[in-house]
């Protein structure tokens, strides 16, 4: 098989450097978050293995032409939904939630994979049905099936945070492509009417999280404990932070879930406002670069994949930091590339591989 040398010439080194910089920051932060814990294999070491596997899959993801990937979009999406379905029969239960499958000795969360395959499926849908003006109700109802099926299954796990994340991801792409004003008004009105009714379908702990978000002091040793300790950790970092491995909130184990959902609090405490700004600059550069890749893509599927992966990273970044600093309810969304978790990291690295895929092939349709 002959490999086009222009693929190497157009390799996106800037994207790779940005991702590796953020991932390296994440590993360093995990080392600090787990320091002092008695563990047969520290989580930062496990995360390093996941990152290596992710890099291997990233290479595969950018080596295969994304038009070929798009051809199998619905199949990939269907397989991810089947994996999601298997969770109900063979899923591993942790903390009352049934979200993980154990494959070849490794735990895997299919809902993370669904985020990516939904982007690819939507890109295929819009590529097949290109309309100059806003999409009518009929198209929107067909399109909604791509969201509703995994949404219901993830809600049942239960994992409200990931299910709402899927909705945000879906709406971001749908609004990017445009819908007719009539459809927009209809669904906006329906959403406003139905949203309050969702309260009655929430589980007790989910209601507690929302109430604690509105007033953390109502249960400072219970449902409000996470957010109170997190805000203390972030605020105690000051301008320059307490220094690497010197965060008292994390060292003394006041900070819950400090290697997963609240890993940003560990970073903010040790590196302070200056470190947080630097990390945000890296994330902003990554997201702006993703948008740039989409704008430079010479066809719709490339632009949609690039935009979809970029908003995937954006919503993870925005929601996680929002819940850590208390401006959003705690919903268990990981911080991209920083929170511990093999499923999340590997899926993100495959997404980065698709971004590179679009970036490297931007020359293909040029005259």
């Amino acid at each position: 098989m002959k490999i086009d040398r222009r693929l190497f010439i157009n390799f996106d080194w800037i994207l790779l450097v940005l991702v590796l910089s953020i991932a390296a920051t994440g590993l360093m932060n995990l080392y600090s978050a787990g320091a002092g814990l008695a563990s047969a294999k520290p989580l930062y070491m496990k995360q390093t293995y996941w990152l290596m596997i992710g890099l291997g899959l990233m290479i595969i993801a950018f080596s295969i032409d994304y038009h070929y990937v798009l051809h199998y979009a619905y199949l990939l999406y269907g397989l991810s939904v089947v994996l999601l379905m298997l969770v109900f029969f063979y899923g591993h239960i942790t903390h009352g939630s049934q979200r993980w499958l154990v494959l070849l000795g490794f735990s895997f969360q299919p809902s993370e994979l669904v985020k990516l395959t939904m982007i690819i499926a939507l890109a295929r849908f819009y590529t097949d049905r290109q309309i100059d003006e806003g999409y009518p109700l009929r198209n929107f109802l067909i399109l909604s099936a791509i969201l509703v099926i995994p949404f219901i299954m993830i809600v049942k796990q239960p994992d409200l945070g990931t299910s709402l994340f899927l909705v945000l991801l879906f709406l971001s792409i749908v609004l990017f492509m445009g819908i007719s004003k009539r459809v927009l008004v209809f669904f906006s009105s329906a959403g406003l009417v139905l949203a309050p009714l969702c309260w009655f379908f929430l589980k007790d702990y989910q209601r507690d999280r929302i109430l604690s978000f509105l007033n953390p002091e109502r249960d400072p040793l219970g449902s409000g404990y996470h957010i109170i300790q997190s805000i203390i950790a972030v605020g105690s970092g000051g301008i320059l932070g307490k220094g690497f491995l010197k965060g008292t909130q994390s060292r003394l184990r006041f900070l819950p879930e400090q290697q997963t959902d609240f890993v940003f609090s560990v970073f903010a405490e040790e590196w302070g406002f200056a470190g947080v700004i630097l990390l945000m600059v890296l994330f902003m550069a990554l997201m702006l670069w993703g948008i740039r890749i989409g704008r430079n893509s010479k066809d719709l599927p490339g632009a949609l994949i690039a935009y979809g992966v970029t908003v995937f990273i954006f919503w993870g970044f925005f929601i996680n930091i929002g819940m850590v600093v208390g401006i959003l309810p705690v919903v268990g969304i990981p911080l991209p590339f920083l929170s511990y978790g093999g499923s999340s990291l590997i899926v993100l690295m495959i997404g980065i591989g698709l971004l590179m895929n679009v970036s490297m092939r931007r020359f293909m349709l040029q005259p």
Side-chain angles (χ1 to χ4, degrees):
M1 181 177 68
K2 185 179 179 181
I3 299 177
D4 195 326
R5 65 182 179 84
R6 290 178 297 178
L7 290 176
F8 295 101
I9 295 173
N10 288 279
F11 184 80
D12 200 330
W13 291 103
I14 292 178
L15 178 58
L16 182 65
V17 168
L18 286 171
V19 169
L20 291 182
S21 299
I22 297 173
T25 303
L27 289 177
M28 181 186 68
N29 196 49
L30 275 180
Y31 177 83
S32 177
L37 286 178
S39 174
K41 186 173 290 184
L43 292 187
Y44 79 91
M45 284 299 298
K46 293 182 182 178
Q47 188 81 340
T48 303
Y49 297 149
W50 293 126
L51 180 61
M52 298 304 290
I53 295 172
L55 283 170
L57 293 174
M58 181 192 76
I59 292 172
I60 295 174
F62 72 65
S63 300
I64 303 171
D65 191 327
Y66 64 88
H67 298 94
Y68 191 74
V69 175
L70 209 68
H71 184 71
Y72 294 98
Y74 295 141
L75 176 62
L76 293 171
Y77 170 77
L79 288 174
S80 67
V81 172
V82 169
L83 288 174
L84 204 55
M85 194 179 300
L86 290 178
V87 171
F88 289 105
F89 301 101
Y90 308 106
H92 179 63
I93 300 176
T94 304
H95 301 303
S97 297
Q98 193 169 8
R99 304 175 184 174
W100 291 268
L101 283 178
V102 179
L103 301 173
L104 303 173
F106 297 98
S107 294
F108 179 72
Q109 195 171 352
S111 57
E112 291 293 329
L113 183 61
V114 168
K115 295 174 184 173
L116 190 60
T117 59
M118 190 178 78
I119 293 171
I120 300 171
L122 290 174
R124 168 67 186 274
F125 179 90
Y126 280 116
T127 302
D128 292 344
R129 298 170 177 79
Q130 296 189 38
I131 300 175
D132 292 334
E133 298 182 355
Y135 285 79
L137 181 62
R138 182 172 57 85
N139 286 74
F140 191 78
L141 291 176
I142 297 172
L143 196 62
S144 298
I146 296 176
L147 167 68
V148 171
I149 295 170
F151 175 83
I152 293 174
M153 287 195 281
I154 294 172
V155 166
K156 289 285 186 183
Q157 289 182 351
D159 187 352
L160 184 63
T162 302
S163 55
L164 292 177
F165 187 99
L166 275 188
V167 174
L168 290 172
L169 192 56
F170 174 84
L171 291 177
S172 299
I173 296 174
V174 168
L175 292 175
F176 175 74
M177 287 303 297
I179 55 178
S180 69
K181 291 181 180 177
R182 183 179 301 177
V183 175
L184 183 62
V185 170
F186 174 77
F187 280 98
S188 298
S189 304
L192 289 173
V193 172
L194 294 176
L197 300 178
C198 295
W199 174 263
F200 300 102
F201 294 96
L202 295 177
K203 295 184 179 297
D204 290 340
Y205 78 91
Q206 292 168 334
R207 293 177 184 172
D208 280 341
R209 285 183 176 181
I210 294 175
L211 292 174
S212 295
F213 158 66
L214 297 172
N215 179 20
E217 300 297 336
R218 65 179 285 274
D219 188 10
L221 298 179
S223 57
Y225 182 80
H226 290 58
I227 188 60
I228 291 173
Q229 296 302 323
S230 175
I231 292 173
I232 291 173
V234 172
S236 65
I239 301 297
L240 298 177
K242 296 176 180 175
F244 185 53
L245 297 174
K246 295 180 180 177
T248 51
Q249 283 293 106
S250 54
R251 292 284 82 71
L252 299 175
R253 305 297 159 195
F254 286 118
L255 198 57
E257 308 293 342
Q258 61 186 36
Q259 293 172 314
T260 51
D261 295 346
F262 290 88
V263 75
F264 178 77
S265 308
V266 178
F267 182 85
E269 184 184 23
E270 296 192 345
W271 298 95
F273 182 72
V276 167
I277 292 297
L278 182 59
L279 182 63
M280 287 188 170
V281 167
L282 284 174
F283 268 106
M284 289 302 297
L286 174 61
M287 290 183 278
L288 289 174
W289 195 255
I291 292 172
R292 181 181 182 275
I293 290 172
R295 291 183 62 183
N296 288 340
S297 173
K298 298 304 179 184
D299 58 9
L300 180 63
L304 274 174
I305 289 173
Y307 178 75
V309 173
T310 303
V311 294
F312 180 176
I313 295 170
F314 167 76
W315 283 120
F317 170 80
F318 179 78
I319 295 174
N320 181 275
I321 292 183
M323 69 183 196
V324 163
V325 299
I327 62 172
L328 291 174
V330 177
V331 289
I333 296 298
L335 182 60
F337 307 107
L338 270 81
S339 292
Y340 172 76
S343 306
S344 171
L345 184 59
I346 285 176
V347 168
L348 280 167
M349 293 306 293
I350 296 173
I352 293 299
L354 290 174
L355 261 181
M356 285 186 176
N357 197 326
V358 176
S359 178
M360 291 165 63
R361 288 174 173 81
R362 63 187 182 276
F363 63 86
M364 293 183 70
L365 298 181
Q366 289 177 346

